Amino acid sequence: MLQTLLALPSLVAFDIDGEGRLLLGYDGSGVRQVHEIGADGSWRTLTALDERVVNAKYVPGSREVIVEHDTGGDERGQLSILDLDGDVPELKPLVHDPAYFHHLIAARPGRVLFTTNRRNEIDFGLIALDLGSGLETVLYDGGGYLIDVVPSPDDRWVLITRAGGPANSQQAMLVETATGRITEITSFDDQVCLGASSWLPDSTGLLLSGDFDRDRLAVFRYDLATAALTSVVADDARDLTGWASPEGDHLLVGANEDGAVTLALHHLDGRPIAPIELPPGGCGAILVDSNPVWSEDGNHVVITYSSPVEPQYVIRYAVVGGDTFAVRAPDAPSLPAGLEHPTTHRVPSFDGEPVPLFLYRPVDGGDGSAVVLVHGGPEWQASRIWNPLIAGLVEQGHTVLVPNVRGSSGYGKRWYSLDDRDLRLDSVRDLAAIHAWLPTIGLDQDRVALWGGSYGGYMVLAGLAFQPKLWTAGVDIVGIASLVTFLENTSAYRRVMREREYGFLATDREFLELASPLNQVDAIEAPLFVIHGANDPRVPLSEASQITDALARRGVICQLLVYPDEGHGLAKRKNRLDAYPQAFAFLKDQLAQR
């Protein structure tokens, strides 16, 4: 059953064309590739690369597709083009330079917009490439890490969202494409978190999802002529995100309530029309993977849906009539029995703050052992989506606790700011509060492991180092062992962005050293299992090597698996099927009743 859970395929929506055809990412081959689904439901495989496809877009007015892919998980995106008029689509290089990052932003009639850091490896610029002549035009070169780029329908403007000043904030600005003139919507130092953005069809304004002068994300309208920012849809208890339809008649609103995302159709002025009927308890907008995509005519919206009991699949929703067409993975094995939605809890922490937590129990109640699984980010959110690791751990008999410790998004500006800079270790103290809470739900405090990836891996190592008496074992996937060496060795563009969250090497080194698990390695007693990709551009492999080397010298049980064709996580099924069963076996042994 474990192999089945880990091998279940998933889909993600990339794009929809004017004929209702869909571009999907599908990992049935073991590595996500591009597939086209005809309006009649027929499948066509478009790519057969050895590497994972990151994104794909139709070129309007043609049968061409732009594909972004990298090599070995290094995230250095390269752009290629497919002509679908032929019997066998051939992937041809479009923008290729493996030394730099290139990210597909949009495909317009006859041209492609992409970002790249090829000027200095740190700052990203926005480039328009003419598909006919091959000529490139620089639309923005003002520096920074660009989180989102949205061109206006008339191509006169581009909305750019880049990493801003305070830790989790972003800066929104308008760039006039003909002159390069920049108009700031938010300043660099504003404490504003931004979500999805979309333009009005006449290019006179746009919709921004953000927490402007409020705790929760809401949908705002920004008028170019007056620079006025007005609320369209807001809810003081939930984060809201909005996507305007291209023809301007509708607004799709996603409401994030404790990690579940529901969708509803609204008028463009915010008046509600009707909810979109989706299975309960899941996410109609995958928070870290795929936003809904509107068709050019506004008649359909394509949704990537997932829940704790079903892998990602795609839904095409018809605005008129509300009909839905579900696209699921072909020939996928049946879902195992016993998968259940989690229960929701609030765990009081050291200062009385309630930590949101999802609890997954085995059907038979389990054997009393527990695994606390911490998400990455740190400003991401553990949401109610399919996670085969959770399902696998539950199948092994462990109760799995998935917290949104302070610093997580989805619970308001105040909550995601509570771990910034010198408050970093307060989020680790949330883990201790969860450990203290375990007896109230019948779990054995002497048989509890930590599991996490990326920043979650840092939390695993920090828990073992700063709370060595609490945890029985740890599984660290691409985690940070030292905040100092991480910032020194990560990709240059990420250092600039991440210092805002963790602290600056030049001014905060003393605290960064204090909060680094590697500097407390002599306190670690619990066995550790580590998984890392050799090509990780975010958290270098040296983070895994130095913590496992230090533990090995002390005789602490530790194991390191390194995959030469992976980056920041395991994107290839063959590697997941190799690594995760070993990690599960490690935990089963460490958490066994003695």
Side-chain angles (χ1 to χ4, degrees), residues 105 112 127 185 207 226 254 367 420 458 461 492 531 544 552 569 573 582:
I105 297 300
V112 173
I127 309 293
I185 298 177
L207 297 183
T226 65
D367 61 4
D420 291 349
Y458 164 81
L461 298 177
I531 301 169
R573 182 183 300 152
Q582 293 186 64

Side-chain angles (χ1 to χ4, degrees), residues 374-375 378 405-406 424 426-431 450-452 454-465 467 471 479-480 517:
V374 190
H375 67 75
V405 296
R406 66 191 67 204
R424 176 67 44 212
D426 284 355
S427 63
V428 183
R429 296 174 74 181
D430 286 343
L431 298 180
L450 293 171
W451 181 303
S454 190
Y455 178 76
Y458 164 81
M459 291 289 282
V460 169
L461 298 177
L464 300 187
Q467 303 157 352
W471 310 106
I480 301 166

Side-chain angles (χ1 to χ4, degrees), residues 24 27 47 50 146 174 280 282 322 331 377 379 536 544 551 572 576:
L24 305 181
D27 61 358
T47 62
D50 293 331
L146 308 188
L174 290 169
D331 303 321
E379 67 278 4
D536 193 339
L551 291 175
K572 298 178 179 178
R576 296 195 297 269

Side-chain angles (χ1 to χ4, degrees), residues 247-307:
E247 89 298 342
D249 290 340
H250 298 101
L251 170 65
L252 181 68
V253 176
N256 177 2
E257 186 165 5
D258 205 16
V261 179
T262 57
L263 295 174
L265 207 59
H266 290 239
H267 294 287
L268 199 60
D269 61 7
R271 291 175 295 130
I273 298 175
I276 294 179
E277 297 298 330
L278 297 172
C283 288
I286 310 303
L287 300 179
V288 295
D289 199 352
S290 178
N291 287 325
V293 180
W294 280 100
S295 63
E296 289 182 55
D297 57 13
N299 291 333
H300 293 88
V301 64
V302 185
I303 300 159
T304 301
Y305 179 82
S306 179
S307 80

